[in-house]
Amino acid sequence: MKFTPAQPPIFGETLASLTARLAEAGEPAYRARQVLDWLYKKRATGWDQMTNLPHALRTRLAGLFDFDPSALVSNRQSADVTDKLLLELRDRSLIETVIIRAPQEGVGLDRSRKTICISTQVGCAMGCRFCASGLAGLKRDLSAGEIVHQLIQVCRREDARTARANAELASFDNIVVMGMGEPLHNYDALLRALAILNAEWGLGFGARRITISTSGLVPQIRRLAAEPVGFRLAVSLHGATNEVREQIMPVNRRWPLEELLPAVREFAARHGRMVTLEFILIEGVNDGLDQAGRLRDIALDLHAHVNLIPYNAVEGLPWKRPSAARQQKFVSVLEERDVSVTLRREKGHDIDAACGQLRLKVERDRAAAGA
Ligand code: SAH
Ligand code: SF4
């Protein structure tokens, strides 16, 4: 499922592809670097700013490429330092990009650690029962340019927020591919986008600061393990036995734990980095101490970090988060054996920060309004 716009976004071009495209138009090779420099180093907001390019070339570029594949339609900031951008694509699809700030003592919010959470698809085909993103299925994949443009939107917003006398450009610390969609279900566009973010001619963002979260597509995990670039991997486990996982994640029927866990082990061995196991705690589903014990054994076996996430309620779905006391009991089972574990404090709860919820709300409003 793809959307093919009349003009592809300029942000989906690599140095090689742009050089080739410009050569076709009779332009010298060095022009591609000049354009990319304007995009990623000088953060130009339009073709007109590219003053070292001849006027005729700027006009030609404007005809070939789309400079604005997404528009910011709303920007909601929660009390707890999460900033959620709702972006509208050219076909009116909506996606979400989230800025999560971790306040640090002694520094202002602008200097706090920032993690950017990006989307890779409109909707999702995986159908996890608890997730707002997958409720209406997959609408389409994002292109590489649409993925990269989310970071450009963040940069623009942050540049404007933090404008200082010395015009220092805003930066961020981590990128997590944990927004809407199953990243490994849109593998080629994702890897192209990450290559652009990572490249010296692009954003120059280190691969080790990029985490890809997957619901567990085994062949793609193995493919990712074989890539030369070492991105970090997070696996949405949410069930420590097939029986429990299957109830909430249909993907487990295709790729049960006995297939998934060896692939995760291979990834960890290949890249020499701890993998993260994500585990949402849902009351009465997967929050029992027997699940905690099994999860502990899996984490010890894989030498993985466990990230426990209290479930964020989704309107229309029956699931609830367990009480704080029950969450704590679950954590204790893992801590007893020194498993590296974090219990995520909710960020952005008040602005529907969990995966896909803000988009769902706006889509429902649009449908109600007949728009
Ligand atoms: N599709 C990928 C990445 C996007 S989802 C994946 O599933 O890993 C990112 C994370 O948010 C996943 O761990 C997902 O299970 C979790 N998630 C989805 N809905 C949630 C909710 N309502 N509350 C808490 N976490 C949720
Ligand atoms: Fe898709 Fe991830 Fe949501 Fe599952 S949790 S439906 S894989 S976005």
Side-chain angles (χ1 to χ4, degrees):
M1 258 176 278
K2 287 219 155 30
F3 163 67
T4 314
Q7 297 166 294
I10 184 67
F11 299 98
E13 298 300 317
T14 62
L15 178 60
S17 70
L18 187 59
T19 306
R21 192 78 183 83
L22 290 177
E24 274 170 32
E27 294 291 339
Y30 66 85
R31 291 291 187 209
R33 266 196 188 268
Q34 285 182 318
V35 172
L36 295 169
D37 197 53
W38 278 107
L39 296 180
Y40 299 107
K41 304 293 187 294
K42 302 193 184 113
R43 309 244 183 109
T45 52
W47 301 109
D48 284 351
Q49 289 173 2
M50 303 187 181
T51 45
N52 59 352
L53 304 184
H55 196 265
L57 175 56
R58 281 185 256 158
T59 310
R60 180 177 275 169
L61 284 165
L64 287 175
F65 296 107
D66 184 3
F67 204 95
D68 297 294
S70 74
L72 183 63
V73 289
S74 89
N75 175 4
R76 293 216 265 162
Q77 195 159 5
S78 79
D80 68 357
V81 302
T82 300
D83 206 349
K84 184 146 198 163
L85 312 186
L86 185 68
L87 304 177
E88 186 176 69
L89 306 175
R90 289 287 183 189
D91 64 349
R92 293 203 70 209
S93 293
L94 296 169
I95 55 167
E96 297 170 18
T97 307
V98 186
I99 306 168
I100 305 153
R101 297 191 178 81
Q104 282 168 306
E105 254 176 71
V107 297
L109 255 195
D110 289 340
R111 294 265 179 206
S112 58
R113 280 179 70 79
K114 284 194 276 285
T115 297
I116 315 300
C117 176
I118 58 172
S119 295
T120 52
Q121 297 181 310
V122 183
C124 183
M126 308 312 295
C128 303
R129 307 254 185 270
F130 48 80
C131 174
S133 291
L135 280 183
L138 176 67
K139 186 166 168 199
R140 70 170 173 90
D141 285 334
L142 297 188
S143 67
E146 287 170 327
I147 297 172
V148 172
H149 201 241
Q150 294 173 65
L151 279 313
I152 299 296
Q153 291 280 16
V154 169
C155 288
R156 283 197 192 143
R157 180 170 155 63
E158 294 294 285
D159 286 346
R161 256 174 63 92
T162 59
R164 297 187 191 101
N166 62 0
E168 182 187 338
L169 290 176
S171 63
F172 36 86
D173 304 281
N174 296 293
I175 296 175
V176 294
V177 191
M178 292 189 185
M180 200 190 318
E182 166 50 54
L184 299 187
H185 194 208
N186 187 14
Y187 193 96
D188 293 338
L190 171 73
L191 264 90
R192 186 179 174 100
L194 296 184
I196 293 169
L197 297 176
N198 185 224
E200 134 283 318
W201 46 260
L203 269 191
F205 197 85
R208 297 242 173 237
R209 294 191 287 147
I210 301 178
T211 302
I212 302 171
S213 174
T214 179
S215 59
L217 298 182
V218 168
Q220 288 91 328
I221 292 174
R222 292 194 186 279
R223 195 173 156 196
L224 193 65
E227 298 282 350
V229 199
F231 301 110
R232 283 171 166 261
L233 184 69
V235 177
S236 293
L237 207 60
H238 310 334
T241 52
N242 283 327
E243 201 191 357
V244 168
R245 195 166 189 262
E246 218 164 81
Q247 279 176 28
I248 47 177
M249 298 182 75
V251 66
N252 195 72
R253 261 175 252 140
R254 183 71 186 86
W255 304 114
L257 294 176
E258 58 275 20
E259 306 248 15
L260 174 59
L261 300 179
V264 177
R265 183 180 296 114
E266 183 186 312
F267 186 96
R270 174 88 190 212
H271 292 288
R273 274 291 179 110
M274 259 188 157
V275 166
T276 296
L277 301 175
E278 292 172 275
F279 204 94
I280 342 174
L281 292 170
I282 310 179
E283 187 181 83
V285 174
N286 64 0
D287 62 340
L289 299 187
D290 51 330
Q291 283 289 301
R294 299 276 194 131
L295 176 59
R296 175 195 61 204
D297 294 345
I298 293 173
L300 286 171
D301 180 45
L302 294 177
H303 189 56
H305 173 78
V306 174
N307 190 18
L308 297 173
I309 311 153
Y311 182 65
N312 208 354
V314 175
E315 206 185 304
L317 296 183
W319 320 103
K320 280 196 255 162
R321 65 168 56 175
S323 68
R326 205 164 162 83
Q327 292 174 25
Q328 199 46 54
K329 273 200 183 132
F330 198 100
V331 175
S332 308
V333 173
L334 289 122
E335 282 178 340
E336 263 165 27
R337 294 281 310 276
D338 291 330
V339 171
S340 160
V341 57
T342 42
L343 177 64
R344 192 150 92 190
R345 196 187 70 81
E346 214 53 48
K347 288 219 187 324
H349 198 48
D350 58 329
I351 54 158
D352 311 306
C355 190
Q357 294 191 49
L358 178 58
R359 166 201 175 237
L360 186 71
K361 202 169 270 179
V362 175
E363 294 270 16
R364 280 177 178 165
D365 291 350
R366 269 183 180 178

